[in-house]
Amino acid sequence: MNVPLHRMVSLLLVAASAFIVTACDAATPPGTPGKQAAGHAADTTQVVHVHKDAYCGCCNGWIEHMRAAGFTVMAHDSADMAALKQRLGIPLAQASCHTAEVGGYVLEGHVPAADVQRLLREKPAARGLVLPGMPIGSPGMESPDGRRDAFTVALLGKDGSLQPYSRHP
């Protein structure tokens, strides 16, 4: 069999990727975070790219929240968050400490993983989800005394419009 080397390497990479994904799924016991009943699963296999300041601790808390929900997260330290937010169309009034990208959507701030899973499942025609500021009790902003502020995650339309997406008491 005379198969070009680049074709053979491509086939081996595809086979290895399938094996790794299968092995990871098999190693995760049912009922662990990120595993959902059939028909209700969001695509948590997509990589969440988080852009953040290198010294922000609450961003790391949100990253851990997303990982615990089954997402693969890649963190990128950024020296110019304002330029990134502007490029991604995040309104200044909706800004928070970190900005993420997943599945063609933007996520601004401490958006709960359940809202991201719903976004990926429903796939609305929108730019993404925003949670301005840093509400106490949101993922990554947990309070030692258990205090939680109510907050609303908004759907950011492609035209920059906002509408409530989920409310958290």
Side-chain angles (χ1 to χ4, degrees):
M1 184 159 124
N2 193 8
V3 178
L5 182 60
H6 72 279
R7 177 77 173 135
M8 190 178 319
V9 169
S10 295
L11 290 171
L12 287 173
L13 287 173
V14 168
S17 295
F19 175 76
I20 289 169
V21 168
T22 303
C24 288
D25 281 347
T28 306
T32 56
K35 290 288 184 180
Q36 299 177 5
H40 297 289
D43 186 1
T44 56
T45 60
Q46 295 187 56
V47 177
V48 177
H49 290 273
V50 180
H51 308 279
K52 65 178 195 63
D53 183 276
Y55 304 104
C56 185
C58 66
C59 297
N60 293 330
W62 185 77
I63 288 169
E64 290 308 312
H65 166 77
M66 295 298 285
R67 286 181 175 149
F71 286 95
T72 299
V73 181
M74 301 294 294
H76 309 280
D77 291 338
S78 176
D80 193 355
M81 290 297 296
L84 176 85
K85 290 173 192 304
Q86 183 177 14
R87 180 178 63 81
L88 294 173
I90 304 297
L92 183 59
Q94 300 302 309
S96 185
C97 57
H98 60 266
T99 303
E101 299 174 88
V102 63
Y105 292 103
V106 296
L107 307 170
E108 180 66 14
H110 294 263
V111 176
D115 292 342
V116 178
Q117 291 166 336
R118 178 180 158 208
L119 178 78
L120 295 173
R121 187 174 56 247
E122 294 177 354
K123 298 181 180 4
R127 194 174 293 157
L129 298 176
V130 295
L131 178 56
M134 298 160 65
I136 301 297
S138 62
M141 292 298 300
E142 292 84 0
S143 173
D145 65 2
R147 186 173 68 97
R148 295 178 48 95
D149 293 341
F151 60 89
T152 299
V153 174
L155 184 69
L156 176 62
K158 292 185 182 235
D159 62 356
S161 63
L162 295 166
Q163 66 182 39
Y165 189 73
S166 65
R167 299 187 197 289
H168 298 267

